[in-house]
């Protein structure tokens, strides 16, 4: 990249960081230090504000950089991520949004603990939430590293490493100082910027082809090096039975995983009523749906205008397809228009990463403080406030995200998020649905459900080609992979549901019918909700 790109993009980065730090500082002066203020922003956000914040939380680096990159490299098969992420919101709207808002206070564990023995359930759900959040965090870190490496020359390992460290430090500041209120406003600002940038790029791509989508697809297929196969299923997931099963596994993880993501569930607690939570989801579906349709145009646009080989040469996983597309649409390398557009897109992508990272860190630190610490603290002589523990936890989770982000920096960000979705769908979704809808569900069933999905999902990832056994794995020099699929969802999600059922039917503890009835009334009517 030219010196102009670097200077302008760094200026825009700095402006966004200054604005968001200003928001955080302003909010930190007004907060009162209560758990409700820190975790839920005082429950004062309107459905429109929360809808934009949910969209800002959900439209991550995986969406903006990773999905477009996968479409640019694999065509039709890359679109699975766009479709899966979007369809998942129907599960959220129909099954969990309103019920979760009525039953809980701050975290997923609140919903389950409403009718179970609190301590074991909170420890299990808190552990699972932290695991999902850290996996999701790694994807954002990898996106940040790829973006700034492209900006500073495309191959600077030191730049990527320092970027990951810098993003981690910023997110700790956002969360520890501003809590949910600052995080929400950062996400709203980011959602507006991202939608504006995506609309502008989509319009420019369509103008380049005079609005002719057929011409866009034909050119993309021609420049992909795969011809018509680029527009047909099977380029990435159709080689043999293993890749086809991987396709099904990924689809299950994407569609079912959203309803188990801790940072998405926590957003339902920031509005005053369940009706407001439902309206928030409706707003977010409109924003997210239009965004994912545009990522399809951007992915095929990158293949058509840049070429799949050039995208792969810049970043083997395709994470830099959109910035390269912006450079070309603005007039090419060295042009003023290309410099400006590239810098704007890079800054928007960086803003996306910071906002999503803040939301994930807040949700996971809430799980540590509200669930894990609150359950274990009676063993300690000295007790600290939940908010203090949450701030310390934010720093610890930031450090974990930085370390894993440095390790996984060559993997596609959308692919990494797919793994997080698989763990969420395996560990969090079964216990959530059983708690809301199964009258005979017991504490043992809840604990077994969480660990029965979480442990297999994590172990299957460790012994999969993601970690070893292939040139693209985390440790390409060794081979200890035993599980053939890259995404564990097809195995671990049924195991989570099976473990919950098995734990319940073998439990000697009778189900608490009265507490289930109370939870059911609260979930469906909002009576007694916080």
């Amino acid at each position: 990249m030219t010196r102009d790109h670097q200077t302008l993009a760094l200026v825009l980065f700095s402006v966004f960081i200054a604005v968001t730090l200003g928001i955080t500082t302003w909010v930190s002066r007004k907060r009162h230090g209560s758990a409700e203020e820190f975790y839920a922003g005082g429950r004062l956000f309107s459905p429109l504000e929360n809808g934009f914040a949910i969209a800002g939380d959900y439209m991550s680096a995986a969406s903006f950089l990773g999905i477009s990159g996968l479409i640019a490299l694999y065509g039709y098969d890359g679109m699975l991520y766009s479709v899966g992420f979007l369809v998942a919101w129907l599960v959220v709207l129909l099954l969990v949004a309103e019920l979760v808002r009525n039953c809980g206070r701050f975290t997923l564990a609140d919903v389950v603990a409403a009718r179970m023995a609190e301590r074991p359930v909170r420890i299990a759900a808190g552990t699972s939430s932290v695991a999902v959040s850290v996996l999701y965090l790694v994807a954002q870190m990898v996106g940040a590293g790829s973006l700034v490496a492209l900006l500073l020359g495309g191959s600077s390992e030191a730049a990527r490493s320092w970027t990951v460290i810098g993003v981690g430090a910023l997110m700790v500041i956002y969360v520890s100082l501003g809590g949910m209120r600052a995080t929400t406003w950062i996400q709203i600002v980011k959602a507006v910027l991202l939608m504006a940038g995506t609309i502008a790029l989509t319009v420019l791509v369509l103008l380049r082809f005079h609005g002719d989508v057929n011409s866009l697809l034909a050119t993309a297929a021609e420049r992909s090096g795969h011809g018509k196969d680029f527009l047909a299923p099977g380029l990435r997931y159709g080689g043999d039975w293993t890749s086809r099963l991987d396709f099904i596994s990924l689809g299950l993880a994407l569609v079912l995983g959203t309803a188990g993501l801790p940072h998405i569930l926590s957003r339902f607690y920031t509005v005053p009523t369940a009706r407001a939570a439902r309206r928030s989801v409706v707003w977010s579906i409109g924003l997210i749906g239009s965004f994912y349709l545009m990522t399809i145009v951007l992915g095929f646009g990158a293949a058509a205008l840049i070429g799949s080989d050039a995208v792969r040469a810049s970043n083997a996983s395709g994470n830099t397809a959109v910035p390269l597309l912006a450079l070309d649409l603005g007039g090419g390398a060295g042009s003023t228009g290309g410099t400006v557009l590239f810098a704007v897109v890079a800054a928007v992508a960086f803003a996306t990463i910071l906002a999503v990272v803040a939301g994930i860190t807040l949700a996971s630190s809430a799980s540590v403080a509200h669930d894990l610490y609150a359950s274990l603290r009676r063993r300690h002589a000295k007790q600290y406030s939940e908010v203090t523990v949450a701030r310390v936890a934010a720093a610890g989770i930031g450090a974990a995200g930085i370390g894993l982000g440095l390790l996984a920096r060559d993997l596609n960000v959308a692919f990494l998020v797919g793994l997080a979705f698989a763990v969420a769908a395996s560990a969090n979704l079964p216990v959530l649905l059983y708690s809301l809808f199964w009258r005979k569900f017991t504490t043992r069933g809840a604990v077994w459900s969480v660990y029965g999905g979480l442990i297999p999902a994590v172990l299957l990832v460790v012994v999969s080609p993601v970690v070893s056994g292939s040139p693209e794995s985390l440790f390409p020099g060794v081979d200890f992979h035993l599980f053939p699929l890259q995404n564990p969802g097809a195995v671990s999600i049924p195991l989570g549901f099976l473990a919950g059922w098995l734990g319940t039917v073998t439990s000697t503890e009778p189900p608490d019918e009265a507490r289930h009835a109370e939870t059911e009334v609260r979930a469906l009517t909002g009576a007694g909700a916080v």
Side-chain angles (χ1 to χ4, degrees):
M1 294 298 122
T2 66
R3 180 70 60 184
D4 289 340
H5 292 108
Q6 295 178 19
T7 304
L8 185 56
L10 289 173
V11 166
L12 289 170
F13 285 176
S14 303
V15 168
F16 181 80
I17 290 169
V19 169
T20 51
L21 285 175
I23 291 171
T24 304
T25 305
W26 172 66
V27 168
S28 66
R29 289 176 180 171
K30 303 181 79 172
R31 63 177 171 77
H32 303 293
S34 69
E36 187 170 44
E37 176 67 31
F38 186 80
Y39 296 143
R43 308 189 200 280
L44 297 174
F45 292 102
S46 70
L48 176 61
E49 290 168 343
N50 198 42
F52 267 86
I54 290 173
D57 212 354
Y58 194 66
M59 298 184 303
S60 65
S63 306
F64 192 51
L65 301 176
I67 292 176
S68 300
L70 284 173
I71 294 172
L73 296 181
Y74 301 107
Y76 183 97
D77 279 10
M79 287 199 302
L80 172 69
Y81 285 88
S82 286
V83 175
F85 283 147
L86 179 55
V87 171
W89 272 104
L90 297 178
V91 178
V92 175
L93 177 62
L94 294 174
L95 291 181
V96 301
E98 189 172 352
L99 307 183
V100 164
R101 172 62 188 83
N102 283 338
C103 288
R105 288 187 69 215
F106 306 125
T107 64
L108 165 71
D110 287 336
V111 179
V112 185
R115 49 177 292 217
M116 309 290 174
E118 283 209 27
R119 196 161 183 264
V121 165
R122 285 194 181 278
I123 292 171
T127 303
S128 165
S129 295
V130 171
V132 173
S133 297
V134 169
L135 266 176
Y136 208 104
L137 206 53
V138 171
Q140 311 310 312
M141 299 294 200
V142 171
S146 299
L147 191 67
V148 175
L150 174 66
L151 182 69
L152 299 179
S155 60
S156 173
E157 293 298 322
R160 294 174 75 173
S161 300
W162 281 109
T163 301
V164 169
I165 294 168
V167 170
L170 278 170
M171 76 185 183
V172 172
I173 293 170
Y174 292 150
V175 172
S176 59
L177 289 182
M180 179 59 86
R181 197 181 291 270
T183 299
T184 299
W185 282 109
I186 291 167
Q187 288 164 346
I188 291 171
V189 171
K190 166 253 167 151
V192 172
L193 291 174
L194 183 60
M195 288 300 292
T198 308
I199 290 169
L201 287 180
T202 302
V203 169
L204 288 173
V205 168
L206 293 176
L207 286 175
R208 184 70 68 91
F209 290 92
H210 309 291
D212 187 347
V213 176
N214 287 334
S215 174
L216 166 63
L217 295 176
T219 308
E222 183 183 334
R223 296 204 61 190
S224 70
H226 299 286
K228 290 185 178 179
D229 290 343
F230 191 69
L231 304 179
L235 194 59
R236 180 178 172 90
Y237 295 110
D240 52 24
W241 72 268
T242 305
S243 59
R244 290 172 187 168
L245 192 55
D246 228 342
F247 181 88
I248 295 169
S249 188
L250 176 63
L252 280 172
L254 295 181
V255 171
L256 299 177
T258 300
L261 291 177
H263 65 290
I264 297 298
L265 293 174
S266 66
R267 289 238 54 93
F268 300 136
Y269 300 125
T270 63
V271 288
T273 64
R275 183 168 180 266
R278 188 172 64 249
R279 289 174 61 199
S280 297
V281 176
V282 173
W283 274 108
S284 63
I285 283 177
L287 293 166
I288 292 166
S290 56
F291 172 77
Y292 281 120
L293 287 174
M294 290 187 286
T295 61
I296 295 172
V297 176
L298 297 185
F300 282 114
L305 298 175
I306 310 297
S308 298
D309 290 340
V311 170
R312 192 176 282 107
S314 171
N315 182 279
S317 300
N319 292 334
T320 55
V322 172
L324 291 174
L325 176 63
L327 185 63
D328 184 87
L329 290 171
S335 67
T336 303
T339 300
V340 170
L341 199 55
F342 173 89
V344 168
V345 167
V348 167
F350 198 68
T352 293
I353 290 163
L354 287 179
V356 174
V357 155
I360 298 165
T361 308
L362 179 61
S364 50
S365 63
S367 291
V368 170
H370 186 63
D371 298 327
L372 297 177
Y373 176 74
S375 299
L376 299 171
R377 66 181 174 188
R378 63 178 68 113
R379 294 182 177 180
H380 302 282
K382 187 174 181 180
Q383 296 186 3
Y384 298 91
S385 75
E386 270 192 28
V387 174
T388 302
V389 174
R391 291 190 176 118
V392 174
I397 289 159
I402 288 169
L404 291 171
L406 294 174
L407 187 65
R409 58 192 172 195
D410 292 324
L411 297 179
N412 181 278
V413 288
F415 169 74
L416 285 169
V417 164
L419 295 182
F421 273 62
V423 177
S426 305
N428 291 349
L429 184 66
V431 72
L432 184 61
L433 294 183
Y434 278 148
S435 297
L436 291 172
F437 299 111
W438 191 14
R439 182 179 299 276
K440 295 183 178 180
F441 199 42
T442 64
T443 300
R444 176 190 279 186
V447 174
W448 283 26
S449 181
V450 173
Y451 291 129
L454 176 65
I455 294 171
V458 173
L459 287 179
L460 289 175
V461 170
V462 170
V463 297
S464 76
V466 174
V467 175
S468 70
S470 74
E472 297 83 24
S473 60
L474 286 180
F475 303 107
V478 293
D479 185 1
F480 52 84
H481 92 278
L482 303 172
F483 182 64
L485 304 183
Q486 292 191 331
N487 193 293
V491 176
S492 58
I493 295 171
L495 284 178
F497 281 99
L498 178 63
W501 174 81
L502 197 60
T504 298
V505 297
T506 60
S507 175
T508 56
E509 165 204 3
D512 192 330
E513 300 277 349
R515 288 179 75 182
H516 174 266
E518 180 186 337
T519 303
E520 188 174 40
V521 170
R522 182 191 297 178
L524 296 175
T525 67
V530 178

